[in-house]
Amino acid sequence: MHDGQFPRGGPGAPWWDRLYETDRAEWIDFIDHPDPRLAERARRGLRELDRFQRASLAYRTFSRLALAESGQQREPRILELGAGRGHLAEQLLRDHPTAHVTVSDISTDSVQAFRTGPLGDHPRVTTRVIDATAIDAPDHTWDVAVFTMSLHHLQPAQVRMVLREGTRAAHRLLIIDAWRHPAYLAVVPLLLLLGGAAAAHDGTISLRKAYSPSALHALADDCGAPVHLHCRFHLPGYLVASASRSAQQSPGDTAATTAQNRDD
């Protein structure tokens, strides 16, 4: 199936799910736009969404899930992709006294903000500009790479690259995003109340762009690497996807092998 026709609900998505889908842009998609008005609107949207995440205790949930992926590592090496304002990294550092966190974003402005803020002076923090679809690092540099509430911004071809790159650069890739179902539009008034108008606008679009487990499995099967994927639902409404390379091949081997990854 051509990427332009790939449904966010997966290859077998019903007609109502395809109507639910949207290709509208969110305000935060313009964070590096040359038009200062659009860039400021994007920054406002990012601030409001961050306010909602903090009010809903989302960062605590994300931190707990990421640390669970690291297992019993004494000093886990964690890469946060698309870190936004860096509050998940701050939570990870609070929750694990010996974790080493690489805080990254594709936006140079965001990374500069990390460097000039509290994270920039932290002895267990590294700040870097990193594109989640093309991670400039050797195989298994990190124990866990975590990518939260960002996957829906990417096109299917980019999702394949994230799955391939994330499982190469880290032993495990943890993806957390919104659970795809129209019923979750009921959260939009809460987004407006706890975040603001920009958060409600972007949150509505995010919910309609979210990938389903079926879609992620199909993209993992076609990502050009032996990626094993497990998806699950997590309260109150998150899709949690844990990905790793199949044991029979090393991360550097990018031969087009179909993963045996339909385990849920």
Side-chain angles (χ1 to χ4, degrees):
M1 182 179 292
H2 188 274
D3 279 354
Q5 300 174 329
F6 187 91
R8 300 288 174 113
W15 64 268
W16 59 263
D17 188 277
R18 296 171 189 248
L19 289 177
Y20 174 65
E21 188 171 328
T22 182
D23 59 0
R24 289 188 62 183
E26 298 178 43
W27 286 356
I28 64 173
D29 292 330
F30 300 101
I31 193 69
D32 286 325
H33 199 279
D35 184 334
R37 293 172 299 176
L38 286 176
E40 176 53 35
R41 179 177 287 183
R43 286 191 289 270
R44 174 188 166 197
L46 190 60
R47 289 192 299 269
E48 291 188 4
L49 287 169
D50 175 70
R51 187 161 63 236
F52 173 77
Q53 300 284 35
R54 286 186 282 119
S56 62
L57 305 181
Y59 294 123
R60 293 185 183 181
T61 299
F62 301 162
S63 174
R64 185 170 66 251
L65 291 168
L67 291 173
E69 288 291 316
S70 70
Q72 300 300 315
Q73 293 284 344
R74 184 178 179 84
E75 297 183 359
R77 301 162 298 161
I78 300 173
L79 167 65
E80 185 185 0
L81 297 162
R85 294 172 66 84
H87 292 311
L88 173 55
E90 293 171 357
Q91 187 68 48
L92 285 165
L93 294 165
R94 285 192 295 269
D95 290 345
H96 199 296
T98 57
H100 294 268
V101 182
T102 300
V103 193
S104 75
D105 201 280
I106 196 171
S107 166
T108 55
D109 288 345
S110 294
V111 174
Q112 184 60 31
F114 303 153
R115 290 172 178 166
T116 57
L119 289 172
D121 295 326
H122 200 288
R124 292 186 282 124
V125 169
T126 302
T127 59
R128 285 185 56 185
V129 175
I130 294 180
D131 181 349
T133 67
I135 301 173
D136 184 14
D139 296 351
H140 287 171
T141 298
W142 295 278
D143 297 305
V144 179
V146 58
F147 194 44
T148 65
M149 307 309 293
S150 297
L151 197 74
H152 59 273
H153 292 285
L154 305 184
Q155 295 300 314
Q158 296 172 302
V159 174
R160 294 188 189 95
M161 295 166 71
V162 169
L163 289 165
R164 186 171 64 245
E165 281 290 279
T167 56
R168 177 196 63 77
H171 288 280
R172 301 191 69 83
L173 169 66
L174 177 67
I175 295 170
I176 304 172
D177 211 336
W179 187 263
R180 182 177 183 81
H181 196 285
Y184 278 99
L185 289 174
V187 80
V188 172
L190 193 60
L191 280 161
L192 180 62
L193 178 65
L194 297 179
H201 174 273
D202 282 9
T204 302
I205 295 172
S206 296
L207 290 165
R208 295 175 64 189
K209 282 187 169 182
Y211 287 92
S212 72
S214 173
L216 288 187
H217 278 299
L219 293 169
D221 283 344
D222 192 36
C223 76
V227 172
H228 179 89
L229 181 72
H230 175 73
C231 296
R232 67 187 190 275
F233 173 82
H234 192 285
L235 289 171
Y238 298 119
L239 167 69
V240 178
S242 179
S244 60
R245 291 292 178 98
S246 299
Q248 67 269 23
Q249 286 185 276
S250 64
D253 187 348
T254 57
T257 303
T258 300
Q260 299 299 315
N261 63 357
R262 298 190 178 276
D263 56 355
D264 62 338

